Amino acid sequence: MASDIFLIRGRAVSENRAYRITFTRADNTYRIYKRNDADTDWEGPFQTRLLSSFGAGVVFGFEDSKSINFQARGTVSANTITLHNKDSDASITINFAGRSYVTLNQK
């Protein structure tokens, strides 16, 4: 997931287009969207990932949903995404400048 965040930020800058990743607890997925050419609406999702692809029992550690917006100039709406499974907790923190940091806590 952290690599997807890094790649989408780079894509936003290289294409001069805003992108968004939406994380949904209800179905344990995250979806990637991009702004349309007129910059008026979101297109997609053009990619959907299931948390189960990262291993059995992985779930988001927050209620409802969250989004991270990547601007064409490289800035990002800062946020923290938490993940849990039976053996560990992980946090991916994204700051305003688009840098992401992963923290892993073994249980």
Side-chain angles (χ1 to χ4, degrees):
M1 181 182 304
S3 63
D4 282 339
I5 291 169
F6 179 79
L7 290 171
I8 292 303
R9 181 183 176 271
R11 184 176 280 182
V13 172
S14 70
E15 294 179 10
N16 195 32
R17 176 190 304 259
Y19 275 79
R20 170 184 284 170
I21 301 178
T22 300
F23 304 88
T24 308
R25 169 85 188 239
D27 59 1
N28 282 315
T29 62
Y30 64 97
R31 294 174 175 85
I32 301 171
Y33 300 84
K34 63 182 175 179
R35 287 300 270 187
N36 63 11
D37 290 336
D39 198 25
T40 57
D41 203 4
W42 295 102
E43 294 178 350
F46 69 88
Q47 188 173 24
T48 299
R49 298 243 196 207
L50 298 170
L51 287 188
S52 60
S53 68
F54 300 112
V58 178
V59 297
F60 287 117
F62 52 84
E63 299 299 321
D64 301 322
S65 63
K66 287 187 174 193
S67 292
I68 301 173
N69 294 319
F70 300 82
Q71 301 304 319
R73 63 186 176 275
T75 58
V76 177
S77 58
N79 216 324
T80 298
I81 305 302
T82 55
L83 303 167
H84 301 291
N85 74 9
K86 63 180 179 153
D87 298 323
S88 60
D89 298 323
S91 296
I92 303 170
T93 302
I94 303 95
N95 68 19
F96 178 75
R99 305 276 300 186
S100 57
Y101 306 90
V102 178
T103 306
L104 181 64
N105 296 311
Q106 298 287 346
K107 291 182 182 177

